[in-house]
């Protein structure tokens, strides 16, 4: 039966609910007849005072009663002085509040919005508005309407409001034209749109399924998409069929597109072991560059300094307890320009670094310390008593808004001021970060990489640390002896047992490693909530913020999604004085623990003590929500000693962090870890995931779950294969 549509026109009186991620809104519309109507639908960035023409149908909601479901929307700017004042007073435009709105309307009347958009210099006639502020609020006003039009345009094809905001942030007022000219630009990792939805959008815009731009976009998408699986390249004979399936086009058509992309320099190819490999150009350049720099470093071996043995004896007397293998590592640090120090928990990697630093001091070498994440850098600093920085901060990383890439100010033209660079948690370094790091080293500098190759590999593309180790390039010292003090820790002993494919000891009652058997998800979730909220704080004096819940998976009753909801209710329950904000699947509440989930190099922050400002919050940084401000539409988060404000368009960068995946915990150490194990994908229930989780705990580890899941993880030593050519290049393979 054909659907009947009605048309309503009126002024928004109030906005009851709005999801900034997808634009879904519930509002009260004062219709021209004078009736107040509940309207629901995709009405992004709606504010009181604006006029709407909505087309849709009437429906009856079981709770809220009669309402109008809007399917098509036309926006009309407020016309009368009272409507304009209501619109601007709602803080629709950043920088304009009720007082300023009243003054503007008193000054310009019904022409206020026209002045705001086209004649910002006249705004200086209003009390309290400087020339700088006038142009700033004018720009904000124009931005709002550009973003709204883009959101409405994309929403009609099922593409999110969040995507529209990202596109506008990058392309500004030209964003809609850019999308019309090349829809597939939205699949770029910078914007992260789903390829199938963008493809449907492009088809709806009239693009042929065999259009050259579509086929080439499919090839590039397959390459960039597989970066998230850790692959540096894809073999030609796998990339072509995968793209053919994705686009439902003949293989020959895809291969023709691949040849064109190769000729245009949009993909790079090379042959290794008789296979033709396809790279994104920046990944190919990075892999070749890393190989070149590592080969150079490995060839720069110096003779032993004259007083080396005397210094080594002095260090051994001062710090004491070094094993012969540790002394080998300390000795090599004075001669080798590429040194790798590996070992599991309790084998003395940190102690060895301390010895290396002391030797460098005696030799007059300037040492810099770094780690891939903020938490790892902080831990390194605490362990060594020396300042340590993230690699990004050390290299003075900045985000280039012109092309959406990172710029490292420290490079071969402006190298680091360091004779020796020691990098901890090296297994977390991906290919492109390693390339930037190596480029920043001075001609005579030494690089010492410290890490545990049995932990999970980097989130980004490549398997760099493992590839270097397996290639045999440089000098490698493997620490295997567990120190006597560490032998008293069941966490350490069980971690090594797991790494060797043995079941951990689960029955000890007076140690630091416990297993609580739970067969079903409900009892597991209940136990974990009870541990964090009552048992550990009350019985062991471990406060909730010192406990980290981990899970291999996001999904299911034992996944981080469900556990975060339960822990939020238990550890930070709703109260009348705590403000909240919904965003997507999350409810952010003042007092919540949250995590930054991507590197954002240009988000401004200020020190908690007011002593300075800066930019950059990074993937894995943990903070606490200080404030939710519905007037300014911001969430304020404190990350250790830094405070940052997040607008609606940035909330996708935050996640609850009462519970997190094991992958997200890499490089961190917590006083207590509670690990949820029940079921999930074989890719997630692996030995390396279990080993990584166990080694995150410093004083206490409690596994809650089933024997079967634990046993499966110990037995499952399946290593996810990553396509990387670094090892072969380092070995000189062709």
């Amino acid at each position: 039966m054909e659907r009947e549509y009605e048309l309503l026109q009126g002024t928004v009186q109030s906005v009851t609910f709005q999801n900034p991620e997808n634009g879904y809104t519930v509002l009260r519309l004062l219709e021209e007849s004078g009736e107040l109507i509940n309207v629901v639908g995709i009405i992004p960035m709606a504010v009181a005072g604006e006029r709407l023409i909505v087309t849709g149908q009437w429906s009856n909601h079981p709770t809220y009663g009669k309402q109008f479901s809007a399917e098509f929307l036309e926006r009309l700017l407020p016309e009368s002085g009272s409507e304009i004042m209501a619109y601007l007073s709602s803080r629709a435009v950043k920088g304009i509040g009720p007082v300023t709105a009243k003054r503007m309307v008193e000054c310009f009347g019904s022409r206020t919005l026209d002045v705001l958009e086209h004649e910002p210099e006249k705004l200086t006639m209003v009390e309290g508005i400087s020339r700088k502020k006038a142009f700033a609020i004018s720009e904000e006003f124009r931005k709002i309407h550009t973003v709204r039009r883009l959101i409405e345009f994309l929403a009609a094809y099922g593409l999110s409001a969040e995507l529209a905001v990202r596109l506008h942030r990058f392309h500004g007022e030209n964003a809609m034209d850019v999308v019309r000219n090349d829809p597939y630009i939205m699949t770029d990792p910078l914007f992260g749109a789903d390829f199938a939805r963008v493809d449907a959008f492009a088809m709806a815009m009239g693009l042929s399924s065999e259009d050259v731009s579509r086929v080439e976009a499919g090839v590039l998408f397959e390459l960039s998409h597989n970066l998230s699986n850790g692959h540096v390249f894809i073999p030609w004979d796998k990339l072509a069929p995968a793209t053919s399936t994705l686009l439902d086009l003949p293989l020959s058509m895809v291969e023709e597109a691949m040849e064109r992309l190769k000729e245009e320099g949009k993909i790079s190819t090379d042959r290794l072991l008789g296979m033709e490999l396809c790279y994104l150009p920046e990944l190919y350049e990075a892999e070749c560059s890393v190989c070149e720099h590592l080969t150079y470093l490995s060839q720069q071996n110096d003779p032993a300094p004259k007083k080396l043995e005397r210094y080594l004896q002095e260090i051994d007397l001062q710090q004491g307890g070094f094993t012969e293998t540790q002394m080998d590592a300390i000795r090599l640090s004075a001669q080798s320009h590429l040194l790798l120090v590996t070992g599991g928990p309790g084998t003395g990697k940190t102690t060895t670094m301390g010895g290396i630093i002391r030797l460098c001091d005696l030799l007059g070498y300037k040492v810099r310390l770094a780690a891939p994440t903020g938490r790892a850098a902080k831990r390194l600093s605490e362990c060594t008593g020396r300042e340590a920085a993230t690699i990004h901060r050390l290299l003075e990383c900045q985000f280039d808004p012109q092309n959406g890439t990172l710029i490292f100010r420290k490079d071969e033209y402006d190298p680091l001021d360091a004779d020796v660079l020691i990098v901890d948690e090296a297994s977390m370094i991906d290919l492109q970060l390693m390339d930037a790091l190596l480029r920043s080293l001075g001609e005579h500098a030494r690089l010492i990489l410290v890490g545990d190759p049995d932990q999970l590999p980097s989130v980004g593309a490549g398997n760099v640390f493992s590839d270097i180790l397996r290639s045999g390039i440089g000098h490698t010292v493997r620490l295997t002896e567990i120190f006597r003090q560490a032998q008293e820790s069941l966490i350490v002993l069980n971690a090594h047992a797991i790494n060797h494919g043995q079941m951990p000891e689960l029955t000890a009652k007076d140690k630091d490693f416990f297993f609580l058997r739970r067969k079903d998800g409900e009892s597991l979730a209940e136990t974990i909530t009870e541990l964090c909220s009552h048992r550990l704080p009350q019985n062991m004096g471990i406060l909730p913020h010192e406990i980290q819940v981990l899970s291999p998976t996001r999904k299911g009753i034992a996944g981080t999604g469900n556990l975060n909801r339960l822990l939020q209710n238990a550890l930070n329950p709703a109260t009348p004085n705590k403000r909240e904000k919904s965003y997507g699947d999350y409810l952010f509440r003042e007092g919540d623990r949250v995590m930054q989930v991507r590197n954002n190099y240009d988000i401004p922050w200020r020190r908690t003590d007011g002593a300075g400002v800066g930019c950059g919050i990074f993937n894995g940084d943990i903070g606490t929500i200080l404030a939710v401000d519905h007037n300014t539409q911001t969430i304020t988060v404190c990350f250790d000693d830094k405070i940052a404000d997040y607008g609606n368009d940035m909330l996708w960068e935050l996640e609850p962090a009462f519970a997190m995946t094991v992958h997200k915990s890499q490089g961190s150490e917590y006083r207590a870890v509670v690990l949820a194990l029940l079921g999930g994908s074989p890719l997630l229930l692996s030995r390396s995931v279990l080993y990584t989780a166990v080694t995150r705990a410093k004083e206490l580890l409690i596994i809650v779950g089933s024997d079967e899941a634990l046993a499966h993880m110990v037995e499952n030593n399946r290593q996810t294969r990553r396509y990387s050519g670094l090892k072969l290049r380092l070995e000189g393979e062709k």
Side-chain angles (χ1 to χ4, degrees), residues 28 77 138 186 199 204 272 289 339 373 390 396 422 431 466 476 574 595 607-609 675 731 734:
R28 302 272 280 171
L77 284 175
S138 176
M186 293 185 285
D199 202 34
L272 284 175
S289 173
L339 174 63
T373 68
T390 63
E396 299 179 21
I422 302 175
L431 181 67
S466 177
T476 298
M595 174 171 53
R607 295 283 181 196
T608 51
D609 59 4
L675 176 62
E731 293 172 340
K734 298 292 183 183

Side-chain angles (χ1 to χ4, degrees), residues 399-594:
F399 181 75
D400 182 2
Q402 296 300 315
N403 56 22
T405 60
L406 301 181
I407 298 172
F408 295 94
R409 293 181 60 187
K410 291 297 178 183
D411 57 17
E412 55 266 56
Y413 306 108
D414 182 17
L416 289 169
D417 180 18
D419 300 308
V420 180
L421 176 60
I422 302 175
V423 184
D424 197 15
E425 297 288 354
S427 63
M428 297 178 66
I429 305 176
D430 63 37
L431 181 67
Q432 289 178 290
L433 187 56
M434 180 59 80
D435 181 34
L437 185 70
L438 290 168
R439 288 176 185 271
S440 75
L441 292 177
E443 185 179 357
H444 304 293
R446 291 174 168 80
L447 177 63
I448 300 172
L449 299 175
V450 182
D452 184 346
D454 296 312
Q455 290 187 25
L456 292 168
S458 61
V459 175
N463 202 3
V464 178
F465 191 56
S466 177
D467 282 350
I468 301 172
L469 282 169
R470 291 184 297 120
S471 74
I473 198 169
H475 290 91
T476 298
V477 176
R478 291 178 170 84
L479 305 176
T480 57
E481 183 179 339
I482 303 174
F483 277 73
R484 185 168 58 191
Q485 184 178 354
Q487 289 177 1
E488 298 174 4
S489 167
L490 199 53
I491 293 173
V492 171
L493 295 178
N494 276 341
H496 285 274
I498 290 165
N499 205 25
H500 289 93
Q502 302 165 4
M503 280 292 287
E505 167 61 53
L506 303 177
T507 57
K509 302 299 182 186
D510 59 344
K511 295 287 186 178
D512 53 8
F513 188 112
F514 298 92
F515 178 72
L516 302 181
R517 187 174 289 102
R518 299 294 184 270
K519 293 293 188 182
D520 64 273
E522 287 188 8
S523 61
L524 175 145
E526 184 180 333
T527 299
I528 289 176
T529 304
E530 179 69 16
L531 282 168
C532 296
S533 59
H534 294 101
R535 288 166 63 177
L536 294 184
Q538 292 175 3
N539 299 337
M540 302 189 70
I542 301 176
L543 301 177
H545 72 269
E546 298 175 308
I547 306 166
Q548 184 58 59
V549 175
L550 301 179
S551 174
T553 181
R554 290 174 170 274
K555 299 177 181 178
I557 198 165
T560 58
N562 180 59
L563 292 174
N564 267 313
R565 284 187 289 272
L566 295 174
L567 290 167
Q568 181 191 47
N569 290 334
L571 301 177
N572 188 34
T575 62
N577 63 337
K578 287 182 187 174
R579 286 167 294 188
E580 304 174 344
K581 186 174 185 65
S582 294
Y583 183 80
D585 295 331
Y586 306 135
L587 175 67
F588 293 116
R589 179 179 297 147
E590 290 175 342
D592 277 352
R593 185 194 303 175
V594 292

Side-chain angles (χ1 to χ4, degrees), residues 18 255 273 602:
Q18 191 162 74
E255 291 192 318
L273 297 181
D602 56 354

Side-chain angles (χ1 to χ4, degrees), residues 49-75:
E50 69 174 322
R51 297 165 63 230
L52 303 178
I53 299 175
V54 289
T55 304
Q57 295 182 309
W58 290 100
S59 62
N60 273 299
H61 190 278
T63 303
Y64 303 109
K66 187 179 180 182
Q67 60 186 26
F68 190 80
S69 299
E71 295 190 26
F72 303 99
L73 171 70
E74 181 181 351
R75 306 185 104 113

Side-chain angles (χ1 to χ4, degrees), residues 27 61 89 95 124 141 222 240 248 332 372 380 436 456 549 575 593 627 645 674:
L27 57 80
H61 190 278
S89 295
T124 57
F141 179 74
E222 282 289 347
D248 193 23
L332 279 168
L380 177 60
L456 292 168
V549 175
T575 62
R593 185 194 303 175
D645 297 319
V674 178

Side-chain angles (χ1 to χ4, degrees), residues 201-222:
F201 169 81
M203 298 295 102
M205 297 288 290
L207 197 73
S208 164
S209 64
E210 298 183 0
D211 190 280
V212 168
S213 64
R214 177 176 184 258
V215 188
E216 292 182 356
V219 174
L220 294 174
F221 171 76
E222 282 289 347

